[in-house]
Amino acid sequence: MDQTEKAFQKQDAVFIGSKRLLGKKSSKRSMRYWRNVGLSFATPKEAKEGNYVDKKCPFTGNVSIRGKILKGMVVSTKMKRTIIIRRNYLHYIKKFNRFEKRHSNMAVHCSPCFEPKEGDIVTVGQCRPLSKTVRFNVLKVEKNQIFGNPRKVFMLF
């Protein structure tokens, strides 16, 4: 585990203070807790073999995915472990019998096992509130299919 924070970084589900038995060699590989979130989402290899500690990660932390599953395009990755996704939709106007383009931005927690870039399409799942604005967690990242500025492109998923 990388100890770069002020608080000691460890996974809650792994006990690291066990006594060494006499005459038994200890393995170099440390214990790591990870799980399957269900809903046919595969656990990333980085979550199984990585050494990050994130209590808000759906694969290695204490967060369950329940409720809505949504898709969106990554717009900003400037925050630490949080990204902004843009969800485009069409709104019908009865008077003119036409649709208008609309969008909504959403703050989403992104585990360190994913490294999304701007323009990537991410699948997110609803979870308990993680902060004032974050209620969703990244479950899958599909690589960039957009060229140019991702804010200017209107794509329905």
Side-chain angles (χ1 to χ4, degrees):
M1 307 291 166
D2 298 329
Q3 300 296 336
T4 57
E5 306 291 328
K6 285 186 176 181
F8 181 71
Q9 299 294 301
K10 68 178 186 65
Q11 286 187 308
D12 288 336
V14 178
F15 182 64
I16 57 174
S18 62
K19 300 281 189 267
R20 192 170 58 92
L21 296 173
L22 291 175
K24 189 172 183 181
K25 296 284 183 185
S26 63
S27 63
K28 292 284 184 191
R29 195 167 187 278
S30 63
M31 295 285 291
R32 181 149 180 89
Y33 170 77
W34 60 272
R35 67 189 171 117
N36 184 5
V37 296
L39 302 168
S40 71
F41 287 104
T43 305
K45 185 179 174 188
E46 181 63 28
K48 296 176 187 177
E49 299 171 2
N51 61 355
Y52 68 89
V53 176
D54 185 12
K55 66 180 183 180
K56 297 177 182 178
C57 173
F59 304 105
T60 62
N62 186 22
V63 175
S64 61
I65 301 298
R66 79 285 191 281
K68 295 184 178 182
I69 305 291
L70 305 173
K71 274 190 166 186
M73 183 193 327
V74 178
V75 174
S76 171
T77 58
K78 294 174 184 173
M79 288 181 277
K80 184 178 180 182
R81 295 186 180 178
T82 305
I83 62 173
I84 302 295
I85 66 169
R86 178 184 171 118
R87 301 195 61 239
N88 297 319
Y89 59 95
L90 296 172
H91 178 249
Y92 182 68
I93 297 177
K94 196 167 21 176
K95 179 180 177 182
F96 299 112
N97 198 24
R98 282 168 171 72
F99 292 93
E100 68 180 0
K101 295 176 186 175
R102 288 190 177 182
H103 81 274
S104 60
N105 287 343
M106 185 183 295
V108 176
H109 183 268
C110 184
S111 172
C113 63
F114 298 114
E115 291 181 0
K117 308 275 188 289
E118 287 189 12
D120 288 354
I121 305 299
V122 295
T123 305
V124 298
Q126 189 178 7
C127 59
R128 65 178 167 81
L130 302 175
S131 70
K132 181 182 172 185
T133 57
V134 177
R135 275 106 177 91
F136 285 82
N137 230 313
V138 173
L139 297 175
K140 191 166 87 175
V141 176
E142 298 165 22
K143 287 300 165 196
N144 191 350
Q145 292 131 358
I146 290 111
F147 299 103
N149 189 354
R151 292 176 196 262
K152 300 292 183 187
V153 179
F154 187 89
M155 273 180 53
L156 294 174
F157 312 113

